[in-house]
Amino acid sequence: MTETLAFSATETDGVLAGPVRRPANASRFDKGTIHDDATAQTLGFKGGTVAGSIHMEQFPPLLLQVFGPDWARTGGLSLFFLNATTDGEPVQAFCGPPVARPEGGSRAEVWMIDTTTGQRVCEGTASVGPQDLDSHLRQRLKTVRPPGELRLLTAPVGARVADVPARLAGAYRDGREALITEPLRVYSDPAEFGEIVAIPSRAIHALREVEVPLWRPTVPYVGLFGAIELQMLAGPVFVEHDYLCDGEVLALSDSPKTEVVWYESTLKEPDGRAVARMILMSRLVKASAEVWR
């Protein structure tokens, strides 16, 4: 069974709460991004933001406790991000009681709060079993309204790319593993699965390889994650492993301050076997792009 390290949870009325953690803004030195204090403050944020993919790393030990070891192979985590946090702010992850799904497996509500303000950082669902086609983000996708004017996003809904190479080479040689809020033994020890398992933010990185050929603008802009769903189909995802990735634009939208793209990507073995799937919603900040000035 996947082992957790230095993790303990408490249960109240069926809700499991993980420990309070202080995630680091691992990309705070990436100048010109939403994680850079100066850039983020120029765009109205209080400071460089902690990526949503980093917050996702706080959930796996909690979900392994709720759903059991199968979550590493067929588990899903579907999160909509509500309020950004900055480097070192205290947050706590929660998981409600699991409910059986008609198609098999189970689903539970999950959320994270900023323990200083009480605000929700994110909310959504987690599941185990067959792919959850009624996840939190798939439900939200049904309500996405058509966009008004788009100046950055040019790829149409339904645009696709296939067989984009995706390899997590060197993922454990850049110090990132030292910043994980909730380490698991499988992130450093190949004994359980035969290979080293990618931490969630690294698995997401592999699934993002489709962005450049699929939809990413060629002009400079600042973007941030609005929502991420990571679904294991025949997981887990491994580092130093050659994959291919397919992608499709699911929806386009906008708000007064952002252009919005939703896309889905599928990570697969070279023989075509699907390993993991992701839905990602990215917000492109209008004020950061010359075409909106």
Side-chain angles (χ1 to χ4, degrees), residues 210-226:
V210 299
E211 285 187 5
V212 170
L214 182 62
W215 65 263
R216 192 177 292 180
T218 57
V219 299
Y221 71 94
V222 173
L224 66 158
F225 297 146

Side-chain angles (χ1 to χ4, degrees), residues 17 33 39 183:
T33 71
T39 301

